[in-house]
Amino acid sequence: EAGVTQFPSHSVIEKGQTVTLRCDPISGHDNLYWYRRVMGKEIKFLLHFVKESKQDESGMPNNRFLAERTGGTYSTLKVQPAELEDSGVYFCASSRRGAGNMDEQYFGPGTRLTVT
Amino acid sequence: LAKTTQPISMDSYEGQEVNITCSHNNIATNDYITWYQQFPSQGPRFIIQGYKTKVTNEVASLFIPADRKSSTLSLPRVSLSDTAVYYCLVGGVSGTYKYIFGTGTRLKVLA
């Protein structure tokens, strides 16, 4: 079984540009999560999809971040326009069971975003 | 906002048992506690999950006291390859920011 994959592995962009991160969850996993770790801080929850629906996006830092999961398969996280403080590692995870019964989340390797 | 704290770092020797504690004073009724291991340039990898009392699998044990305000990950007989950062994750269906990662504990296993 293939694991969670993320693309790109590393992205370097200038302040004000747009970047789109992609996550492909494990096949059959309805739950998809986005997290990020900015320099020196803890891993922070961003949002949670159940299939194509946003179950909880309370962790999204501001309206420069837009996450989508069309068709309930892969997900994208777009940052527009990027700011310096957006630099960090963005992790995606997926799980099988519903959020009402927390299940093992499988994490991707992360996308390292550097905004200069 | 719930805060989940762990010791920053720990050192141990090969073959010893290592116990890492996570404090989660504001844990909600429906929250589970999960522990992850992370190596450099990789995503967190699941170790064990529990809700209360004790859970054991082939790699670790998880101890959760009755008040559930803390949890302890126990790694028996660590080896050099267990050198990594260990995170607790508290989460469930209640409240916002419902998945809270701990601050992470950097474990270094010495020969």
Side-chain angles (χ1 to χ4, degrees):
Chain A
E1 173 180 81
V4 176
T5 58
Q6 294 187 243
F7 183 84
S9 58
H10 193 180
S11 178
V12 181
I13 61 171
E14 293 183 354
K15 176 182 173 181
Q17 290 186 321
T18 297
V19 63
T20 299
L21 314 180
R22 173 172 170 142
C23 169
D24 286 79
I26 293 172
S27 178
H29 282 194
D30 288 342
N31 295 284
L32 188 149
Y33 312 83
W34 283 98
Y35 296 84
R36 75 170 181 176
R37 181 173 58 216
V38 297
M39 190 69 69
K41 301 289 183 69
E42 304 95 85
I43 301 173
K44 294 282 193 183
F45 166 79
L46 296 179
L47 87 159
H48 169 210
F49 283 99
V50 177
K51 298 184 180 178
E52 68 275 10
S53 300
K54 291 176 184 175
Q55 184 75 13
D56 184 342
E57 54 182 331
S58 56
M60 295 285 264
N62 52 60
N63 58 11
R64 295 186 293 104
F65 289 74
L66 175 64
E68 295 180 319
R69 192 183 181 194
T70 305
T73 54
Y74 71 91
S75 174
T76 58
L77 179 64
K78 182 162 70 174
V79 185
Q80 179 184 30
E83 298 289 345
L84 297 178
E85 64 263 26
D86 300 332
S87 295
V89 182
Y90 290 76
F91 292 104
C92 174
S94 70
S95 71
R96 185 183 303 278
R97 211 172 297 171
N101 187 357
M102 190 174 176
D103 202 359
E104 176 182 347
Q105 295 183 30
Y106 293 83
F107 282 78
T111 293
R112 181 173 297 277
L113 174 64
T114 303
V115 182
T116 62
Chain B
L1 179 64
K3 192 159 178 64
T4 305
T5 58
Q6 303 174 229
I8 293 175
S9 64
M10 297 178 71
D11 288 348
S12 181
Y13 288 95
E14 280 191 293
Q16 288 188 328
E17 177 185 80
V18 171
N19 296 308
I20 306 174
T21 298
C22 179
S23 171
H24 29 79
N25 289 321
N26 296 328
I27 190 168
T29 302
N30 293 333
D31 286 346
Y32 282 75
I33 300 155
T34 313
W35 282 81
Y36 288 85
Q37 177 191 56
Q38 188 179 28
F39 297 110
S41 301
Q42 295 184 22
R45 186 174 72 172
F46 176 90
I47 301 173
I48 196 167
Q49 182 180 88
Y51 182 80
K52 60 180 179 181
T53 64
K54 177 183 175 182
V55 179
T56 297
N57 61 21
E58 62 275 9
V59 299
S61 293
L62 176 59
F63 299 92
I64 306 170
D67 65 6
R68 303 200 328 121
K69 294 186 177 185
S70 66
S71 58
T72 299
L73 172 72
S74 180
L75 304 172
R77 299 179 300 282
V78 294
S79 63
L80 295 176
S81 63
D82 292 320
T83 294
V85 180
Y86 292 82
Y87 293 95
C88 61
L89 172 65
V90 177
V93 294
S94 53
T96 59
Y97 295 90
K98 60 185 176 184
Y99 300 103
I100 309 293
F101 264 98
T103 47
T105 299
R106 188 174 298 276
L107 173 66
K108 185 174 181 180
V109 180
L110 307 168

